[in-house]
């Protein structure tokens, strides 16, 4: 009987510990992945800003999802390592939560020691195009921020780069900094298919628009806004 009780207790301990080990291993794997994909030349100079793309808000937690935390943490690291002068967090205001992912990320950044005067939030966008458009109009142009790092997940990177280069034009230097998307292990195929579709749609719709003509691009995409809402 004592032997059975010991076995039962050990089984309970095993069931408690294993998920914790799994979570720790998974988090470590993502951190390693993030370090492997950081571009070495980004470390060689200081950029004017780090533009952190939005992630929405998780209705289950009233917080930014895991993807948002990964992007945010990379932005904070870039600032802490003196690679960017300011951080610009993106993410549209959501009335249901009376806040935005950009505001939530900015609060996290301040709690991590980033001075509030070096943090900007952009609450207008609900699409990747909107992030490029409003960031340019409200921050890059007025503040003359010519050299910028854009942070988002690896699967989202090709479409983000296409859009930002179209919106900003050759006047601006941008570096794309992908972060890990290993958290998408279960749904990766779905997200990848969606991203490829959205990339193709943007590529077709923006054909003929000159790089840097953000107003022309906005007018071209405006009728398709609901189709172009992001899902990553």
């Amino acid at each position: 009987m004592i032997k059975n009780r010991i076995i039962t207790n050990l089984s309970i301990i095993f069931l408690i510990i294993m998920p914790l080990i799994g979570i720790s291993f998974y988090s470590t794997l993502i951190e390693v992945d993030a370090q492997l994909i950081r571009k070495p030349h980004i470390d060689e100079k200081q950029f004017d800003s780090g533009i952190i793309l939005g992630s929405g808000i998780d209705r289950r937690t009233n917080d930014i999802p895991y993807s948002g935390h990964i992007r945010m943490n990379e932005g904070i690291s870039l600032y802490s390592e003196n690679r960017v002068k300011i951080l610009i967090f993106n993410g549209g205001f959501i009335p249901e939560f009376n806040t935005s992912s950009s505001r939530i990320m900015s609060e996290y950044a301040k709690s991590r020691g980033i001075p509030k005067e070096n943090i900007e939030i952009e609450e207008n966008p609900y699409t990747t195009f909107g992030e490029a458009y409003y960031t340019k109009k409200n921050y890059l142009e007025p503040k003359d921020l010519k050299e910028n790092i854009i942070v988002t997940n690896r699967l989202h990177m090709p479409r983000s780069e296409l859009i930002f280069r179209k919106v900003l034009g050759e006047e601006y230097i941008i570096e794309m900094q992908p972060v890990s998307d290993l958290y998408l292990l279960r749904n990766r195929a779905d997200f990848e298919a969606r991203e490829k579709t959205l990339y193709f749609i943007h590529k077709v719709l923006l054909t003929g628009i000159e790089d840097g003509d953000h107003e022309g691009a906005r007018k071209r995409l405006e009728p398709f806004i609901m189709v172009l809402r992001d899902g990553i």
Side-chain angles (χ1 to χ4, degrees):
M1 186 171 179
I2 295 176
K3 183 179 179 181
N4 289 338
R5 186 178 299 171
I6 292 174
I7 292 173
T8 300
N9 290 339
L10 288 174
S11 299
I12 292 171
I13 293 171
F14 178 80
L15 290 172
I16 293 172
I17 290 176
M18 283 309 294
L20 297 176
I21 293 174
I23 291 170
S24 176
F25 175 77
Y26 185 58
S27 299
T28 301
L29 188 62
I30 287 178
E31 287 297 323
V32 171
D33 187 50
Q35 290 302 316
L36 289 175
I37 61 181
R38 173 174 275 187
K39 295 182 179 181
H41 58 278
I42 283 181
D43 299 345
E44 296 172 2
K45 62 181 290 186
Q46 186 182 51
F47 288 75
D48 292 324
S49 84
I51 301 169
I52 318 304
L53 302 194
S55 61
I57 297 176
D58 190 333
R59 284 174 169 77
R60 297 168 298 179
T61 62
N62 292 343
D63 192 7
I64 56 174
Y66 198 63
S67 60
H69 280 279
I70 297 173
R71 299 177 192 186
M72 175 192 69
N73 287 334
E74 178 64 18
I76 292 171
S77 293
L78 289 171
Y79 181 88
S80 300
E81 295 163 12
N82 205 34
R83 292 168 186 157
V84 297
K85 296 174 184 176
I86 68 168
L87 295 175
I88 304 173
F89 292 108
N90 272 269
F93 183 83
I94 303 177
E96 176 185 349
F97 299 101
N98 195 35
T99 189
S100 63
S101 62
S102 54
R103 190 170 296 276
I104 292 173
M105 286 192 283
S106 73
E107 292 302 320
Y108 274 117
K110 283 185 277 189
S111 73
R112 296 272 294 275
I114 310 296
K116 64 179 181 179
E117 60 268 22
N118 292 335
I119 296 173
E120 303 287 0
I121 64 170
E122 181 48 71
E123 293 187 293
N124 286 294
Y126 296 93
T127 65
T128 302
F129 174 80
E131 292 178 307
Y133 176 84
Y134 286 109
T135 297
K136 179 182 181 181
K137 283 196 67 175
N138 295 336
Y139 297 105
L140 305 191
E141 284 186 330
K143 294 178 177 289
D144 197 33
L145 305 174
K146 298 295 187 184
E147 300 184 352
N148 307 278
I149 299 176
I150 297 165
V151 178
T152 191
N153 301 86
R154 189 160 32 189
L155 281 179
H156 188 217
M157 191 60 63
R159 179 163 61 96
S160 300
E161 182 169 9
L162 170 72
I163 292 170
F164 270 86
R165 293 199 184 280
K166 179 61 67 175
V167 169
L168 300 187
E170 295 180 358
E171 183 181 351
Y172 293 86
I173 295 172
I174 61 171
E175 288 285 353
M176 307 301 295
Q177 177 54 45
V179 296
S180 178
D181 49 28
L182 288 179
Y183 67 93
L184 290 173
L185 283 175
R186 287 185 300 174
N187 302 316
R188 186 180 184 85
D190 294 337
F191 279 112
E192 190 168 9
R194 175 178 170 78
E195 278 301 306
K196 287 179 178 178
T197 300
L198 287 173
Y199 178 92
F200 176 76
I201 291 172
H202 280 88
K203 184 78 172 176
V204 171
L205 291 176
L206 293 172
T207 298
I209 303 293
E210 290 187 11
D211 290 353
D213 182 6
H214 55 278
E215 292 298 347
R218 180 186 64 81
K219 291 176 183 177
R220 180 71 61 83
L221 296 180
E222 205 165 35
F224 306 96
I225 185 68
M226 293 308 297
V227 177
L228 302 178
R229 278 184 177 264
D230 297 337
I232 187 170

